[in-house]
PDB file of all heavy atoms in Angstrom:
ATOM      1  N   LEU A  14      14.033   8.072  10.625  1.00 91.00           N
ATOM      2  CA  LEU A  14      14.491   6.860  11.342  1.00 91.00           C
ATOM      3  C   LEU A  14      15.533   7.166  12.426  1.00 91.00           C
ATOM      4  O   LEU A  14      16.739   7.170  12.229  1.00 91.00           O
ATOM      5  CB  LEU A  14      15.128   5.871  10.270  1.00 91.00           C
ATOM      6  CG  LEU A  14      14.105   5.393   9.262  1.00 91.00           C
ATOM      7  CD1 LEU A  14      14.904   4.501   8.291  1.00 91.00           C
ATOM      8  CD2 LEU A  14      13.026   4.649   9.811  1.00 91.00           C
ATOM      9  N   VAL A  15      15.068   7.643  13.506  1.00 91.00           N
ATOM     10  CA  VAL A  15      15.835   7.985  14.678  1.00 91.00           C
ATOM     11  C   VAL A  15      15.646   6.924  15.718  1.00 91.00           C
ATOM     12  O   VAL A  15      14.635   6.696  16.264  1.00 91.00           O
ATOM     13  CB  VAL A  15      15.416   9.400  15.272  1.00 91.00           C
ATOM     14  CG1 VAL A  15      16.174   9.727  16.556  1.00 91.00           C
ATOM     15  CG2 VAL A  15      15.504  10.387  14.252  1.00 91.00           C
ATOM     16  N   ALA A  16      16.829   6.244  15.913  1.00 91.00           N
ATOM     17  CA  ALA A  16      16.731   5.039  16.828  1.00 91.00           C
ATOM     18  C   ALA A  16      16.183   5.426  18.223  1.00 91.00           C
ATOM     19  O   ALA A  16      16.514   6.574  18.728  1.00 91.00           O
ATOM     20  CB  ALA A  16      18.154   4.401  16.903  1.00 91.00           C
ATOM     21  N   ALA A  17      15.488   4.579  18.784  1.00 93.00           N
ATOM     22  CA  ALA A  17      14.874   4.809  20.121  1.00 93.00           C
ATOM     23  C   ALA A  17      15.173   3.576  20.972  1.00 93.00           C
ATOM     24  O   ALA A  17      15.412   2.424  20.508  1.00 93.00           O
ATOM     25  CB  ALA A  17      13.379   5.037  20.026  1.00 93.00           C
ATOM     26  N   ALA A  18      15.167   3.800  22.302  1.00 91.00           N
ATOM     27  CA  ALA A  18      15.431   2.737  23.264  1.00 91.00           C
ATOM     28  C   ALA A  18      14.130   1.834  23.329  1.00 91.00           C
ATOM     29  O   ALA A  18      12.971   2.221  22.984  1.00 91.00           O
ATOM     30  CB  ALA A  18      15.655   3.300  24.550  1.00 91.00           C
ATOM     31  N   GLY A  19      14.227   0.658  23.883  1.00 91.00           N
ATOM     32  CA  GLY A  19      13.144  -0.149  24.131  1.00 91.00           C
ATOM     33  C   GLY A  19      12.872  -1.277  23.188  1.00 91.00           C
ATOM     34  O   GLY A  19      11.806  -1.945  23.350  1.00 91.00           O
ATOM     35  N   GLY A  20      13.824  -1.689  22.239  1.00 96.00           N
ATOM     36  CA  GLY A  20      13.627  -2.831  21.403  1.00 96.00           C
ATOM     37  C   GLY A  20      13.616  -4.160  22.314  1.00 96.00           C
ATOM     38  O   GLY A  20      14.078  -4.227  23.353  1.00 96.00           O
ATOM     39  N   GLY A  21      13.063  -5.166  21.620  1.00 97.00           N
ATOM     40  CA  GLY A  21      13.137  -6.488  22.235  1.00 97.00           C
ATOM     41  C   GLY A  21      13.233  -7.556  21.272  1.00 97.00           C
ATOM     42  O   GLY A  21      13.123  -7.371  20.041  1.00 97.00           O
ATOM     43  N   TRP A  22      13.532  -8.814  21.770  1.00 97.00           N
ATOM     44  CA  TRP A  22      13.523  -9.959  20.958  1.00 97.00           C
ATOM     45  C   TRP A  22      12.914 -11.108  21.755  1.00 97.00           C
ATOM     46  O   TRP A  22      12.980 -11.122  22.939  1.00 97.00           O
ATOM     47  CB  TRP A  22      15.013 -10.330  20.454  1.00 97.00           C
ATOM     48  CG  TRP A  22      15.906 -10.612  21.570  1.00 97.00           C
ATOM     49  CD1 TRP A  22      16.564  -9.663  22.438  1.00 97.00           C
ATOM     50  CD2 TRP A  22      16.406 -11.822  22.058  1.00 97.00           C
ATOM     51  NE1 TRP A  22      17.352 -10.314  23.320  1.00 97.00           N
ATOM     52  CE2 TRP A  22      17.300 -11.653  23.162  1.00 97.00           C
ATOM     53  CE3 TRP A  22      16.199 -13.121  21.689  1.00 97.00           C
ATOM     54  CZ2 TRP A  22      18.021 -12.671  23.818  1.00 97.00           C
ATOM     55  CZ3 TRP A  22      16.903 -14.221  22.347  1.00 97.00           C
ATOM     56  CH2 TRP A  22      17.704 -13.934  23.368  1.00 97.00           C
ATOM     57  N   TYR A  23      12.270 -12.067  21.119  1.00 96.00           N
ATOM     58  CA  TYR A  23      11.702 -13.232  21.671  1.00 96.00           C
ATOM     59  C   TYR A  23      11.578 -14.301  20.759  1.00 96.00           C
ATOM     60  O   TYR A  23      11.748 -14.192  19.558  1.00 96.00           O
ATOM     61  CB  TYR A  23      10.263 -12.755  22.190  1.00 96.00           C
ATOM     62  CG  TYR A  23       9.296 -12.407  21.148  1.00 96.00           C
ATOM     63  CD1 TYR A  23       8.394 -13.207  20.496  1.00 96.00           C
ATOM     64  CD2 TYR A  23       9.337 -10.951  20.592  1.00 96.00           C
ATOM     65  CE1 TYR A  23       7.568 -12.953  19.528  1.00 96.00           C
ATOM     66  CE2 TYR A  23       8.390 -10.718  19.580  1.00 96.00           C
ATOM     67  CZ  TYR A  23       7.497 -11.620  19.117  1.00 96.00           C
ATOM     68  OH  TYR A  23       6.746 -11.203  18.112  1.00 96.00           O
ATOM     69  N   GLY A  24      11.384 -15.560  21.324  1.00 96.00           N
ATOM     70  CA  GLY A  24      11.121 -16.756  20.591  1.00 96.00           C
ATOM     71  C   GLY A  24       9.702 -17.161  20.485  1.00 96.00           C
ATOM     72  O   GLY A  24       8.862 -16.740  21.251  1.00 96.00           O
ATOM     73  N   VAL A  25       9.439 -17.910  19.461  1.00 96.00           N
ATOM     74  CA  VAL A  25       8.041 -18.520  19.199  1.00 96.00           C
ATOM     75  C   VAL A  25       8.275 -19.965  18.778  1.00 96.00           C
ATOM     76  O   VAL A  25       8.841 -20.210  17.710  1.00 96.00           O
ATOM     77  CB  VAL A  25       7.349 -17.813  18.060  1.00 96.00           C
ATOM     78  CG1 VAL A  25       5.907 -18.426  17.947  1.00 96.00           C
ATOM     79  CG2 VAL A  25       7.152 -16.199  18.370  1.00 96.00           C
ATOM     80  N   LEU A  26       7.796 -20.888  19.580  1.00 96.00           N
ATOM     81  CA  LEU A  26       7.782 -22.249  19.279  1.00 96.00           C
ATOM     82  C   LEU A  26       6.272 -22.626  18.898  1.00 96.00           C
ATOM     83  O   LEU A  26       5.465 -22.402  19.682  1.00 96.00           O
ATOM     84  CB  LEU A  26       8.281 -23.127  20.419  1.00 96.00           C
ATOM     85  CG  LEU A  26       8.081 -24.615  20.206  1.00 96.00           C
ATOM     86  CD1 LEU A  26       8.980 -25.197  19.078  1.00 96.00           C
ATOM     87  CD2 LEU A  26       8.467 -25.349  21.541  1.00 96.00           C
ATOM     88  N   PHE A  27       6.121 -22.964  17.601  1.00 95.00           N
ATOM     89  CA  PHE A  27       4.847 -23.168  16.996  1.00 95.00           C
ATOM     90  C   PHE A  27       4.828 -24.330  16.123  1.00 95.00           C
ATOM     91  O   PHE A  27       5.822 -24.857  15.660  1.00 95.00           O
ATOM     92  CB  PHE A  27       4.302 -21.931  16.311  1.00 95.00           C
ATOM     93  CG  PHE A  27       5.035 -21.715  15.022  1.00 95.00           C
ATOM     94  CD1 PHE A  27       4.533 -22.061  13.822  1.00 95.00           C
ATOM     95  CD2 PHE A  27       6.264 -21.160  14.984  1.00 95.00           C
ATOM     96  CE1 PHE A  27       5.174 -21.821  12.609  1.00 95.00           C
ATOM     97  CE2 PHE A  27       7.011 -20.925  13.776  1.00 95.00           C
ATOM     98  CZ  PHE A  27       6.334 -21.277  12.595  1.00 95.00           C
ATOM     99  N   ASP A  28       3.576 -24.858  15.878  1.00 94.00           N
ATOM    100  CA  ASP A  28       3.362 -25.844  14.803  1.00 94.00           C
ATOM    101  C   ASP A  28       1.979 -25.496  14.111  1.00 94.00           C
ATOM    102  O   ASP A  28       1.306 -24.682  14.617  1.00 94.00           O
ATOM    103  CB  ASP A  28       3.380 -27.243  15.396  1.00 94.00           C
ATOM    104  CG  ASP A  28       2.199 -27.545  16.276  1.00 94.00           C
ATOM    105  OD1 ASP A  28       1.359 -26.648  16.505  1.00 94.00           O
ATOM    106  OD2 ASP A  28       2.173 -28.733  16.691  1.00 94.00           O
ATOM    107  N   ASN A  29       1.721 -26.111  13.035  1.00 91.00           N
ATOM    108  CA  ASN A  29       0.471 -26.074  12.344  1.00 91.00           C
ATOM    109  C   ASN A  29       0.293 -27.298  11.576  1.00 91.00           C
ATOM    110  O   ASN A  29       0.621 -27.402  10.422  1.00 91.00           O
ATOM    111  CB  ASN A  29       0.471 -24.769  11.422  1.00 91.00           C
ATOM    112  CG  ASN A  29      -0.952 -24.539  10.885  1.00 91.00           C
ATOM    113  OD1 ASN A  29      -1.781 -25.493  10.755  1.00 91.00           O
ATOM    114  ND2 ASN A  29      -1.168 -23.323  10.550  1.00 91.00           N
ATOM    115  N   PRO A  30      -0.307 -28.287  12.216  1.00 90.00           N
ATOM    116  CA  PRO A  30      -0.555 -29.561  11.566  1.00 90.00           C
ATOM    117  C   PRO A  30      -1.471 -29.467  10.248  1.00 90.00           C
ATOM    118  O   PRO A  30      -1.253 -30.231   9.382  1.00 90.00           O
ATOM    119  CB  PRO A  30      -1.313 -30.421  12.562  1.00 90.00           C
ATOM    120  CG  PRO A  30      -1.035 -29.823  13.888  1.00 90.00           C
ATOM    121  CD  PRO A  30      -0.854 -28.346  13.642  1.00 90.00           C
ATOM    122  N   SER A  31      -2.328 -28.582  10.281  1.00 91.00           N
ATOM    123  CA  SER A  31      -3.205 -28.389   9.027  1.00 91.00           C
ATOM    124  C   SER A  31      -2.420 -27.944   7.780  1.00 91.00           C
ATOM    125  O   SER A  31      -2.706 -28.200   6.712  1.00 91.00           O
ATOM    126  CB  SER A  31      -4.443 -27.509   9.201  1.00 91.00           C
ATOM    127  OG  SER A  31      -3.931 -26.193   9.511  1.00 91.00           O
ATOM    128  N   GLN A  32      -1.212 -27.294   8.078  1.00 89.00           N
ATOM    129  CA  GLN A  32      -0.355 -26.913   6.955  1.00 89.00           C
ATOM    130  C   GLN A  32       0.903 -27.739   6.870  1.00 89.00           C
ATOM    131  O   GLN A  32       1.818 -27.424   6.262  1.00 89.00           O
ATOM    132  CB  GLN A  32       0.045 -25.403   7.124  1.00 89.00           C
ATOM    133  CG  GLN A  32      -1.141 -24.498   7.193  1.00 89.00           C
ATOM    134  CD  GLN A  32      -1.743 -24.330   5.813  1.00 89.00           C
ATOM    135  OE1 GLN A  32      -1.097 -24.396   4.748  1.00 89.00           O
ATOM    136  NE2 GLN A  32      -3.017 -24.437   5.751  1.00 89.00           N
ATOM    137  N   GLN A  33       0.868 -28.922   7.589  1.00 89.00           N
ATOM    138  CA  GLN A  33       2.068 -29.825   7.681  1.00 89.00           C
ATOM    139  C   GLN A  33       3.340 -29.177   8.153  1.00 89.00           C
ATOM    140  O   GLN A  33       4.412 -29.481   7.723  1.00 89.00           O
ATOM    141  CB  GLN A  33       2.245 -30.422   6.266  1.00 89.00           C
ATOM    142  CG  GLN A  33       1.244 -31.520   5.918  1.00 89.00           C
ATOM    143  CD  GLN A  33       0.008 -31.023   5.289  1.00 89.00           C
ATOM    144  OE1 GLN A  33       0.136 -30.015   4.474  1.00 89.00           O
ATOM    145  NE2 GLN A  33      -1.109 -31.466   5.537  1.00 89.00           N
ATOM    146  N   LEU A  34       3.165 -28.177   9.059  1.00 89.00           N
ATOM    147  CA  LEU A  34       4.252 -27.502   9.737  1.00 89.00           C
ATOM    148  C   LEU A  34       4.499 -28.176  10.970  1.00 89.00           C
ATOM    149  O   LEU A  34       3.824 -27.987  11.987  1.00 89.00           O
ATOM    150  CB  LEU A  34       4.019 -26.082   9.907  1.00 89.00           C
ATOM    151  CG  LEU A  34       3.930 -25.103   8.636  1.00 89.00           C
ATOM    152  CD1 LEU A  34       3.472 -23.769   9.057  1.00 89.00           C
ATOM    153  CD2 LEU A  34       5.162 -25.149   7.841  1.00 89.00           C
ATOM    154  N   PRO A  35       5.717 -28.913  11.166  1.00 93.00           N
ATOM    155  CA  PRO A  35       6.093 -29.505  12.352  1.00 93.00           C
ATOM    156  C   PRO A  35       6.516 -28.339  13.404  1.00 93.00           C
ATOM    157  O   PRO A  35       6.765 -27.291  12.940  1.00 93.00           O
ATOM    158  CB  PRO A  35       7.271 -30.436  11.951  1.00 93.00           C
ATOM    159  CG  PRO A  35       7.883 -29.717  10.766  1.00 93.00           C
ATOM    160  CD  PRO A  35       6.676 -29.071  10.024  1.00 93.00           C
ATOM    161  N   PRO A  36       6.718 -28.725  14.666  1.00 94.00           N
ATOM    162  CA  PRO A  36       7.159 -27.740  15.593  1.00 94.00           C
ATOM    163  C   PRO A  36       8.573 -27.182  15.161  1.00 94.00           C
ATOM    164  O   PRO A  36       9.376 -27.862  14.735  1.00 94.00           O
ATOM    165  CB  PRO A  36       7.270 -28.642  16.873  1.00 94.00           C
ATOM    166  CG  PRO A  36       6.388 -29.751  16.740  1.00 94.00           C
ATOM    167  CD  PRO A  36       6.428 -30.028  15.217  1.00 94.00           C
ATOM    168  N   LYS A  37       8.626 -25.698  15.360  1.00 95.00           N
ATOM    169  CA  LYS A  37       9.754 -25.091  14.936  1.00 95.00           C
ATOM    170  C   LYS A  37       9.955 -23.911  15.863  1.00 95.00           C
ATOM    171  O   LYS A  37       8.927 -23.161  16.189  1.00 95.00           O
ATOM    172  CB  LYS A  37       9.640 -24.597  13.459  1.00 95.00           C
ATOM    173  CG  LYS A  37      10.741 -23.833  12.787  1.00 95.00           C
ATOM    174  CD  LYS A  37      10.385 -23.589  11.463  1.00 95.00           C
ATOM    175  CE  LYS A  37      11.662 -23.251  10.666  1.00 95.00           C
ATOM    176  NZ  LYS A  37      11.379 -22.968   9.298  1.00 95.00           N
ATOM    177  N   LEU A  38      11.164 -23.608  16.294  1.00 96.00           N
ATOM    178  CA  LEU A  38      11.413 -22.466  17.089  1.00 96.00           C
ATOM    179  C   LEU A  38      12.035 -21.354  16.176  1.00 96.00           C
ATOM    180  O   LEU A  38      13.038 -21.560  15.359  1.00 96.00           O
ATOM    181  CB  LEU A  38      12.513 -22.783  18.138  1.00 96.00           C
ATOM    182  CG  LEU A  38      12.855 -21.612  19.044  1.00 96.00           C
ATOM    183  CD1 LEU A  38      11.694 -21.025  19.862  1.00 96.00           C
ATOM    184  CD2 LEU A  38      13.980 -22.048  20.008  1.00 96.00           C
ATOM    185  N   THR A  39      11.354 -20.259  16.199  1.00 96.00           N
ATOM    186  CA  THR A  39      11.958 -19.011  15.410  1.00 96.00           C
ATOM    187  C   THR A  39      12.017 -17.906  16.390  1.00 96.00           C
ATOM    188  O   THR A  39      11.531 -17.966  17.436  1.00 96.00           O
ATOM    189  CB  THR A  39      10.898 -18.653  14.291  1.00 96.00           C
ATOM    190  OG1 THR A  39       9.649 -18.322  14.866  1.00 96.00           O
ATOM    191  CG2 THR A  39      10.754 -19.791  13.309  1.00 96.00           C
ATOM    192  N   TRP A  40      12.688 -16.788  15.828  1.00 97.00           N
ATOM    193  CA  TRP A  40      12.994 -15.671  16.699  1.00 97.00           C
ATOM    194  C   TRP A  40      12.472 -14.352  16.013  1.00 97.00           C
ATOM    195  O   TRP A  40      12.459 -14.313  14.763  1.00 97.00           O
ATOM    196  CB  TRP A  40      14.506 -15.540  16.975  1.00 97.00           C
ATOM    197  CG  TRP A  40      14.952 -16.791  17.721  1.00 97.00           C
ATOM    198  CD1 TRP A  40      15.495 -17.934  17.199  1.00 97.00           C
ATOM    199  CD2 TRP A  40      14.877 -17.055  19.106  1.00 97.00           C
ATOM    200  NE1 TRP A  40      15.759 -18.817  18.184  1.00 97.00           N
ATOM    201  CE2 TRP A  40      15.394 -18.275  19.414  1.00 97.00           C
ATOM    202  CE3 TRP A  40      14.475 -16.304  20.220  1.00 97.00           C
ATOM    203  CZ2 TRP A  40      15.519 -18.936  20.543  1.00 97.00           C
ATOM    204  CZ3 TRP A  40      14.573 -16.767  21.510  1.00 97.00           C
ATOM    205  CH2 TRP A  40      15.026 -18.160  21.747  1.00 97.00           C
ATOM    206  N   CYS A  41      12.078 -13.426  16.831  1.00 97.00           N
ATOM    207  CA  CYS A  41      11.535 -12.166  16.394  1.00 97.00           C
ATOM    208  C   CYS A  41      12.377 -11.023  17.027  1.00 97.00           C
ATOM    209  O   CYS A  41      12.705 -11.108  18.162  1.00 97.00           O
ATOM    210  CB  CYS A  41      10.102 -12.050  16.803  1.00 97.00           C
ATOM    211  SG  CYS A  41       9.077 -13.407  16.091  1.00 97.00           S
ATOM    212  N   PHE A  42      12.573 -10.031  16.214  1.00 98.00           N
ATOM    213  CA  PHE A  42      13.439  -8.899  16.710  1.00 98.00           C
ATOM    214  C   PHE A  42      12.723  -7.532  16.351  1.00 98.00           C
ATOM    215  O   PHE A  42      12.264  -7.260  15.192  1.00 98.00           O
ATOM    216  CB  PHE A  42      14.855  -8.903  16.059  1.00 98.00           C
ATOM    217  CG  PHE A  42      15.457 -10.132  16.178  1.00 98.00           C
ATOM    218  CD1 PHE A  42      15.237 -11.362  15.245  1.00 98.00           C
ATOM    219  CD2 PHE A  42      16.383 -10.460  17.228  1.00 98.00           C
ATOM    220  CE1 PHE A  42      15.864 -12.477  15.392  1.00 98.00           C
ATOM    221  CE2 PHE A  42      16.987 -11.644  17.369  1.00 98.00           C
ATOM    222  CZ  PHE A  42      16.749 -12.666  16.507  1.00 98.00           C
ATOM    223  N   ASN A  43      12.501  -6.706  17.317  1.00 98.00           N
ATOM    224  CA  ASN A  43      11.799  -5.436  17.235  1.00 98.00           C
ATOM    225  C   ASN A  43      12.820  -4.260  17.465  1.00 98.00           C
ATOM    226  O   ASN A  43      13.298  -4.106  18.531  1.00 98.00           O
ATOM    227  CB  ASN A  43      10.588  -5.342  18.133  1.00 98.00           C
ATOM    228  CG  ASN A  43       9.600  -6.371  17.887  1.00 98.00           C
ATOM    229  OD1 ASN A  43       9.174  -6.576  16.707  1.00 98.00           O
ATOM    230  ND2 ASN A  43       9.143  -7.117  18.839  1.00 98.00           N
ATOM    231  N   PHE A  44      12.996  -3.491  16.389  1.00 97.00           N
ATOM    232  CA  PHE A  44      13.870  -2.267  16.494  1.00 97.00           C
ATOM    233  C   PHE A  44      13.017  -0.994  16.459  1.00 97.00           C
ATOM    234  O   PHE A  44      12.433  -0.694  15.419  1.00 97.00           O
ATOM    235  CB  PHE A  44      14.838  -2.255  15.319  1.00 97.00           C
ATOM    236  CG  PHE A  44      15.688  -3.526  15.178  1.00 97.00           C
ATOM    237  CD1 PHE A  44      15.270  -4.630  14.580  1.00 97.00           C
ATOM    238  CD2 PHE A  44      17.001  -3.307  15.615  1.00 97.00           C
ATOM    239  CE1 PHE A  44      16.062  -5.741  14.402  1.00 97.00           C
ATOM    240  CE2 PHE A  44      17.984  -4.508  15.507  1.00 97.00           C
ATOM    241  CZ  PHE A  44      17.393  -5.677  14.897  1.00 97.00           C
TER     242      PHE A  44
END
Side-chain angles (χ1 to χ4, degrees):
L14 299 174
V15 176
W22 62 282
Y23 63 95
V25 179
L26 175 60
F27 71 100
D28 67 358
N29 188 334
S31 67
Q32 297 294 316
Q33 289 84 41
L34 291 175
K37 183 177 197 174
L38 179 61
T39 64
W40 299 94
C41 304
F42 306 87
N43 296 311
F44 299 83

